[in-house]
Amino acid sequence: MEAIREGAAGSAVEDIQERLRSLGYEIDEAECAEKSFGRSTATAVARFRLDHGLQLGDEVDTATWMALVDECYQLGDRTLYLRLPNFHGNDVRQLQERLNILGFSCGEPDGVYGVHTEAAVKLFQESIGVLADGMAFPDTFDAIERLKHVWAGKPAAGPHPMGGMGFARAASVLETAHIAITADDPISRNIAGRIWNLAHATVDDCGLELVDSREDATSGALVELSTQPLPENVASGLGNVMLDDFDTLPLRLRTAVQSSTATPPAARIEVPVGTGAFTMGDAQTYAVLLLDAICAAFEGIE
């Protein structure tokens, strides 16, 4: 494109001014009314170029225009998915930042919808029980917005490791939270039983109950264990969380429960057992780690 510089006027200048002002750059009202590229517009362009690592200058060339368009995208303005060339812009960065905080790692937020971002979107979609196709549609954006109380005002670089809950904090959660746990196969039922034993050994007045099926749950929330993977590209209707990263598991589990539309709110944890022998020691290890993650996820939830 031909560079737009001081002295220009018209609809193209008006578009530039509106975009710069939406990003917080100040431009004189008189210039905006006249749609003229005056001194204050040139100053705003120069500051924008400096803020975004572009070559110093006060004209709008192709690189500046592309960066300006990118920065004006807001999450929800367009459907995002993996393609070549990649989608890029502020809306992608917002998506990455929010997913990182919720426990679905996109890596460093760079504003580019690449394979890591697609993978994080799929995991988030699976966690809220919708079709995990990696395409960020309005339903995905709406689910993220409903979790604004979780991600708003938090650092965007990614979730911090949760670490162990500690006995006192875990006991407090088990006394106040109303949680039911169930399982759908022999191995996961063994783990669920061990979680129940550990919880009731921790506190006398324990709010965690062991139930035979989802239908038997009467508590405030339900956690279901399973060693079976969900069918690919099928909406489960129940948030599914992979037990693969214990640092982010509490955040992902909390997201799944708080996004659930079931009654009571429910989430499914998929337990990997591999192809080798699964021992009682394995079951006990998973039970300890899962109880810690459940307590961290439900802390502060009645």
Side-chain angles (χ1 to χ4, degrees):
M1 61 174 280
E2 185 177 347
I4 302 173
R5 55 178 59 89
E6 194 167 353
S11 58
V13 173
E14 180 184 27
D15 192 1
I16 292 167
Q17 291 171 331
E18 288 178 351
R19 290 178 183 275
L20 287 168
R21 294 182 77 183
S22 74
L23 296 173
Y25 295 91
E26 294 184 3
I27 299 175
D28 288 346
E29 292 291 344
E31 288 184 26
C32 293
E34 297 172 359
K35 305 176 186 177
S36 62
F37 199 124
R39 187 67 259 160
S40 70
T41 302
T43 300
V45 170
R47 288 175 176 167
F48 176 84
R49 291 176 62 143
L50 180 63
D51 291 343
H52 293 82
L54 300 172
Q55 187 175 0
L56 296 180
D58 60 5
E59 63 182 24
V60 179
D61 55 13
T62 300
T64 305
W65 172 250
M66 292 176 63
L68 188 55
V69 170
D70 272 359
E71 285 304 306
C72 287
Y73 281 120
Q74 298 296 314
L75 190 62
D77 284 351
R78 53 184 177 167
T79 297
L80 299 172
Y81 54 91
L82 187 63
R83 69 166 196 185
L84 290 176
N86 299 115
F87 280 109
H88 50 84
N90 184 54
D91 54 343
V92 179
R93 188 181 302 107
Q94 290 174 339
L95 177 66
Q96 293 169 328
E97 290 171 348
R98 292 165 194 184
L99 287 175
N100 275 350
I101 295 168
L102 292 170
F104 303 88
S105 179
C106 302
E108 184 68 25
D110 60 2
V112 177
Y113 199 101
V115 293
H116 297 300
T117 302
E118 183 195 44
V121 169
K122 286 181 176 179
L123 287 173
F124 175 75
Q125 290 171 328
E126 190 172 88
S127 80
I128 61 173
V130 301
L131 181 64
D133 58 5
M135 298 184 69
F137 283 105
D139 57 349
T140 306
F141 303 140
D142 289 345
I144 291 173
E145 183 61 25
R146 288 195 297 272
L147 294 162
K148 186 174 182 178
H149 61 287
V150 178
W151 52 259
K154 303 290 180 64
H160 296 289
M162 297 294 291
M165 271 291 286
F167 176 83
R169 287 173 63 198
S172 175
V173 173
L174 292 172
E175 288 175 343
T176 58
H178 300 285
I179 310 164
I181 187 166
T182 188
D184 66 1
D185 61 83
I187 291 178
S188 57
R189 280 196 290 272
N190 186 301
I191 297 171
R194 291 171 182 270
I195 291 173
W196 186 90
N197 287 334
L198 287 167
H200 283 260
T202 300
V203 294
D204 293 331
D205 188 18
C206 183
L208 187 144
E209 62 174 331
L210 186 64
V211 298
D212 289 332
S213 66
R214 297 181 198 172
E215 292 72 23
D216 297 324
T218 59
S219 295
L222 170 71
V223 175
E224 179 180 82
L225 305 184
S226 178
T227 62
Q228 303 302 311
L230 285 176
E232 290 186 4
N233 298 324
V234 174
S236 67
L238 182 69
N240 191 70
V241 177
M242 290 292 297
L243 198 165
D244 54 0
D245 181 354
F246 281 103
D247 281 345
T248 63
L249 178 60
L251 287 167
R252 291 183 286 125
L253 179 57
R254 189 181 184 98
T255 294
V257 171
Q258 293 193 336
S259 299
S260 174
T261 57
T263 304
R268 180 181 189 268
I269 299 179
E270 190 174 319
V271 182
V273 295
T275 57
F278 190 82
T279 67
M280 293 301 100
D282 294 332
Q284 186 68 12
T285 298
Y286 275 145
V288 171
L289 292 170
L290 280 168
L291 179 60
D292 190 73
I294 289 170
C295 287
F298 283 88
E299 187 176 22
I301 300 177
E302 297 293 332

